Amino acid sequence: MTPDRAPATDTAAAPALPAPPRRWWGLAVLGLAQLMILLDGTIVNVALPSMQRDLGMSDAARPWAITSYTLAFGGLLLLAGRIADIVGRKRVFLAGLAGFAVASAAGGAAPGPGALFAARALQGVFAALLAASALALITTTFPDLRERRRAIAIFGALGGAGGALGVTLGGVLTEAAGWRWCLYVNVLFAVAALAGSVLMPPDTAPRATGRLDVPGALLACGGLTLLVYGFSAAEHSGWTGRPVVATLTAGLVLLALFAVWLRRARTPLLPPRLLRDKARVAALVAGAFLMAAQLSLSLFLTFHLQTVLGWSAARTGLGFLPLSLITTLTATQLGTRLLPRLGARTMMTAGLCVAASGLWWLGRLTVHADYATGILPGLALFGIGMGSTFLALMTTATAHLPPEDSGIASAALNSAQQVGGSIGSAVFNTVAAGAAAGFAAPHRTALLHGFTTAVHWPLTGLLLAALGAAVLAGPRAAAAPRQSPA
């Protein structure tokens, strides 16, 4: 495969703007916010049993502690991205930080399940504002290509580490201080980021003009929300249940209408020019499958460490720490050096294949496998693959665009990851439950068989994404359509 050299293509797309002062301080604030919102996506998982006991939550209601957050987050990302482009990315970012702190405090103080679910949904709303504006601010704050690659590598590594650190911190906090601190800790993160934002550089990048595409927002947000809900409900109700089928069908219909509307709207919520770039499409697909694999891995190992090896919640969380460290080191030390030499296509393809090999290794676990020789090698391979992929897909998803489209491009990537994660975890859980139920063996062995069987689905997804990257993410033309009409 001929390497697609990144410098020549990126140079054509880079805005000729002076580098703002204090930009690295701004990256620290943005990275802290990114870590917070992705950490929040998994920190509650470990605390769910304690939440259920303390709040008198039924088994049927328990999934809403997770679903209420993912519904609001995944459904509103595209709208949040366009709001950031029109209103201003820094304004939206600061509003998201303040709102996320308030919502987290309300969740930690929730007297009952209803209040908790409402607070989690509100967290999702403000998480969408944060996610859509943070990556956009990086692409507009770092005009120098080398600095931007390094900034995106750090930002992406923090995102990849956030999910694993959520499990670690969730286990420690639940045992040491109680489940409410799994939500209160977000207040500390948000306040620290708000205090640091005083020194962030101003957002001087051009804003998008025109009105907000309200019909497009309703169709896109409604379709994504229904899809996320449908796949989340399938984990507990099965794929053939009438509510699940109806919800998924309605979501697909709304998204189909959204695709038709994009060609007619004067200022579409998602400009079609973003999806005319095959490399960007490959990056969005890679982001979706990578997030699905990461969440599946988290579910798999949480079960294995606690049920098979008998680890406590805190020790289970610490077991994920190597994944966070390896992902961060790979992205910041290896990815930034190899991307300019190998190009995004090679980095995405190779990284996804390495991550898939990590899942393959974990799919061979037995009830007698220990952590050092059975689990750690698979974690290491997955972390290397994830760290190698993040920088390439984030760079590709946001390249060759004018600054006024940076928010919606960032939101498109986050939407792909959120929807991919929801679909992937639902498929993983459903397949695992079915395989375990049909396996005649002791309970612990049957459950492990279910998970090792289900892991082949995210593994296959990673390989398909690698194939898509190899075929679609070829060298971009220097004259990429930065100012072409929608």
Side-chain angles (χ1 to χ4, degrees), residues 69 172 223 307 435 439:
Y69 176 81
V172 173
T307 305
F439 190 69

Short mmCIF file of all heavy atoms in Angstrom, two decimals, residues 69 172 223 307 435 439:
data_model
loop_
_atom_site.label_atom_id
_atom_site.label_comp_id
_atom_site.label_asym_id
_atom_site.label_seq_id
_atom_site.Cartn_x
_atom_site.Cartn_y
_atom_site.Cartn_z
N TYR A 69 -29.02 9.19 29.73
CA TYR A 69 -27.84 9.98 29.36
C TYR A 69 -27.51 9.79 27.88
O TYR A 69 -27.30 10.78 27.15
CB TYR A 69 -26.66 9.55 30.24
CG TYR A 69 -25.35 10.22 29.90
CD1 TYR A 69 -25.07 11.51 30.36
CD2 TYR A 69 -24.38 9.57 29.15
CE1 TYR A 69 -23.86 12.12 30.07
CE2 TYR A 69 -23.17 10.17 28.84
CZ TYR A 69 -22.92 11.44 29.31
OH TYR A 69 -21.73 12.05 29.01
N VAL A 172 -13.53 2.66 42.56
CA VAL A 172 -12.88 3.21 43.75
C VAL A 172 -13.85 4.10 44.53
O VAL A 172 -13.98 3.98 45.77
CB VAL A 172 -11.62 4.00 43.36
CG1 VAL A 172 -11.04 4.72 44.57
CG2 VAL A 172 -10.58 3.07 42.75
N GLY A 223 -34.53 11.10 14.80
CA GLY A 223 -34.09 9.82 14.26
C GLY A 223 -32.99 9.19 15.09
O GLY A 223 -33.03 7.99 15.40
N THR A 307 -16.87 -11.53 38.04
CA THR A 307 -17.60 -12.79 38.18
C THR A 307 -16.68 -14.00 38.12
O THR A 307 -16.82 -14.93 38.91
CB THR A 307 -18.68 -12.90 37.09
OG1 THR A 307 -19.52 -11.76 37.14
CG2 THR A 307 -19.52 -14.15 37.27
N ALA A 435 -26.08 -16.82 23.51
CA ALA A 435 -25.08 -17.89 23.49
C ALA A 435 -24.95 -18.56 24.84
O ALA A 435 -24.77 -19.78 24.94
CB ALA A 435 -23.73 -17.33 23.04
N PHE A 439 -25.91 -22.80 26.14
CA PHE A 439 -24.69 -23.55 26.40
C PHE A 439 -24.87 -24.35 27.68
O PHE A 439 -25.06 -23.80 28.77
CB PHE A 439 -23.51 -22.58 26.53
CG PHE A 439 -22.16 -23.25 26.56
CD1 PHE A 439 -21.65 -23.87 25.43
CD2 PHE A 439 -21.39 -23.24 27.72
CE1 PHE A 439 -20.40 -24.48 25.45
CE2 PHE A 439 -20.15 -23.84 27.74
CZ PHE A 439 -19.65 -24.46 26.61
#
